[in-house]
């Protein structure tokens, strides 16, 4: 059996992109990490049988895809609230509680998608043109709207779409991996593309991680909360902006409804909150802390923003806010459970 250190040297550069691949398939970064671990364990145990008839990267993708398909046989899909019901009509009513055990789509920190999948705070996805992780992120293939739409596809359609349209595998290669004909692969791909098109996942929602204008809209969003500037936040939102808050199934559409809900939930006008800028799914994000008894700021939510370009002047506004109300996510982002006042 190959030495474990040597195997790690050869295989670890692909860890970040394999995590992105598994995340797109299953919609959970926690599950994706487990699947990548299983992939590496299986690959190491069978590495002596790897004869180099394909690249190591593609061999690892074959193992990872099969592990994901097996996992999806017994797993429920992970949607966002907007994929399950109509928006709430009364923004003054508290959101409905989440259903126990209901799986929701999770965000993935950008820092995990770099080679090696490090959780270092502030880590950035490399931007080199030949780096696979940078290619994956640059195509917007992990943005929330697209991954959420993928969750509504049957598992094999999902795999075909990702392997063909994201990873640029040939139809014959996908057919070989999935044990089907090339014609069947092309049929599944057509159906998957049609479903994604119906979901209206637009490329105009994507921007590069280092785009100064995108960073500016995040800075303005953070400042609006820190300064209790509700008017400033309202000006940042698109007319048809969406607010989602998994695990609550309640969601809102429209600037007026979003602001009315936020105002009803923030009697202090947004005061008592601290936001730490971060990045998730190739999008701007903020870790939100709320001041509790004794003045300590405790973890509340990870909010992922979808910027959209204004037609009038080309500046960014916010089309969607997904506030993940799961404090366990803070550890994934390398963030503490409490923030310094």
């Amino acid at each position: 059996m190959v030495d474990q250190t040597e195997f790690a040297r050869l295989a670890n550069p692909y860890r970040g992109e394999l995590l992105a691949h598994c995340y797109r398939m299953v919609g959970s970064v926690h599950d994706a990490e487990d699947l990548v671990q299983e992939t590496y364990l299986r690959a190491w145990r069978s590495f002596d049988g790897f004869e180099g008839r394909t690249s190591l990267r593609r061999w690892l993708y074959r193992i990872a895809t099969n592990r994901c398909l097996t996992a999806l046989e017994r797993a429920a899909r992970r949607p966002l609230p907007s994929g399950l019901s109509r928006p709430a009509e009364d923004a003054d009513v508290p959101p409905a509680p989440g259903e126990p055990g209901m799986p929701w789509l999770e965000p993935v920190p950008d820092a995990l998608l770099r080679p090696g999948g490090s959780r270092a705070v502030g880590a950035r996805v490399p931007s080199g043109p030949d780096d696979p992780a940078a290619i994956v992120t640059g195509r917007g293939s992990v943005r929330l709207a697209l991954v959420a739409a993928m969750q509504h596809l049957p598992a094999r359609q999902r795999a075909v779409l990702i392997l063909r349209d994201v990873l640029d595998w040939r139809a014959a290669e996908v057919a070989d991996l999935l044990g089907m004909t090339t014609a069947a692969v092309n049929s599944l791909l057509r159906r998957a593309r049609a479903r994604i098109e119906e979901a209206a996942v637009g490329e105009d929602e994507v921007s590069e991680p280092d785009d100064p204008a995108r960073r500016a809209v995040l800075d303005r969003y953070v400042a609006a909360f820190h300064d209790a500037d509700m008017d400033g936040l309202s000006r940042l939102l698109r007319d048809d902006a969406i607010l989602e808050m998994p695990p609550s199934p309640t969601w809102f559409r429209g600037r007026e409804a979003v602001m009315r809900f936020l105002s009803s939930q923030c009697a202090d006008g947004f005061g008592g909150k601290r936001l730490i800028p971060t990045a998730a799914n190739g999008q701007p994000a903020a870790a939100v802390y709320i001041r509790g008894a004794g003045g300590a700021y405790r973890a509340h939510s990870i909010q992922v923003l979808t910027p959209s370009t204004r037609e009038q002047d080309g500046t960014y506004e916010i089309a969607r806010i997904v506030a993940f109300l799961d404090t366990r996510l803070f550890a994934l982002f390398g963030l503490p459970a409490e923030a310094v006042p």
Side-chain angles (χ1 to χ4, degrees):
M1 180 176 289
V2 68
D3 177 79
Q4 189 171 5
T5 302
E6 176 63 9
F7 173 77
R9 183 187 70 80
L10 294 170
N12 276 351
Y14 305 109
R15 185 176 291 273
E17 59 175 299
L18 286 170
L19 179 66
H21 177 59
C22 293
Y23 170 74
R24 286 188 295 264
M25 285 289 295
V26 301
S28 163
V29 66
H30 292 95
D31 291 350
E33 287 189 314
D34 290 342
L35 289 164
V36 170
Q37 286 298 104
E38 291 179 28
T39 296
Y40 273 69
L41 181 60
R42 284 174 177 260
W44 175 52
R45 287 175 174 172
S46 57
F47 194 70
D48 286 345
F50 172 61
E51 299 175 353
R53 286 174 294 200
T54 185
S55 69
L56 176 60
R57 178 175 181 262
R58 285 182 179 261
W59 186 60
L60 291 170
Y61 268 102
R62 292 179 69 94
I63 298 172
T65 301
N66 282 317
R67 295 309 306 145
C68 289
L69 289 172
T70 298
L72 288 170
E73 290 177 358
R74 56 181 184 273
R77 61 190 173 100
R78 290 178 170 270
L80 287 174
S82 59
L84 297 179
S85 63
R86 296 179 59 83
E89 296 181 357
D90 188 351
D92 296 317
V93 175
E99 180 181 336
M102 172 69 181
W104 295 99
L105 183 66
E106 295 176 348
V108 60
D110 280 9
L112 291 186
L113 303 182
R114 66 179 186 172
S118 170
R119 296 190 182 195
V121 177
R124 292 164 52 190
V125 175
S127 56
D130 298 322
D131 181 77
I135 293 170
V136 165
T137 302
R139 289 178 179 173
S141 62
V142 293
R143 66 193 189 278
L144 276 179
L146 178 57
V147 177
M150 286 181 181
Q151 301 309 299
H152 292 273
L153 299 175
R156 284 186 167 244
Q157 277 191 32
R158 203 179 306 177
V160 167
L161 181 72
I162 293 168
L163 291 169
R164 291 283 284 120
D165 283 0
V166 176
L167 299 174
D168 291 328
W169 283 34
R170 297 191 300 272
E173 294 174 313
V174 179
D176 178 61
L177 190 160
L178 298 178
M180 59 177 61
T181 65
T182 300
V185 166
N186 290 333
S187 177
L188 287 181
L189 181 60
R190 284 193 296 272
R191 279 181 274 168
R193 285 173 173 170
R195 184 66 183 269
I196 295 299
E197 186 175 349
E198 288 175 5
V201 182
E203 288 294 333
D204 60 342
E205 295 180 348
V206 181
S207 59
E208 292 303 313
D210 292 329
D211 184 341
R214 192 190 79 157
R215 176 64 195 222
V217 79
L218 176 60
D219 290 343
R220 290 170 61 196
Y221 183 78
V222 170
F225 277 91
H226 288 177
D227 298 339
D229 182 5
M230 298 175 68
D231 290 337
L233 178 59
S234 179
R235 288 192 297 270
L236 273 176
L237 299 181
R238 203 166 72 178
D239 288 345
D240 60 349
I242 288 172
L243 172 64
E244 302 180 76
M245 302 162 287
S248 171
T250 303
W251 63 286
F252 301 98
R253 183 193 295 274
R255 179 194 293 118
E256 182 181 349
V258 170
M259 291 304 302
R260 191 164 71 246
F261 170 76
L262 291 175
S263 298
S264 70
Q265 299 298 304
C266 304
D268 58 0
F270 301 164
K273 293 180 176 60
R274 290 292 178 268
L275 277 66
I276 296 177
T278 184
N281 296 78
Q283 299 173 219
V288 180
Y289 293 82
I290 293 183
R291 186 172 58 215
Y297 285 86
R298 294 184 172 85
H300 174 263
S301 60
I302 298 291
Q303 299 190 2
V304 182
L305 313 181
T306 299
S308 178
T309 307
R310 286 189 174 99
E311 293 183 2
Q312 305 94 310
D313 55 13
T315 60
Y316 281 121
E317 57 190 345
I318 296 173
R320 182 186 299 260
I321 303 168
V322 184
F324 293 92
L325 305 176
D326 183 353
T327 57
R328 296 172 301 173
L329 294 170
F330 279 66
L332 279 177
F333 284 79
L335 294 169
E338 290 191 2
V340 177

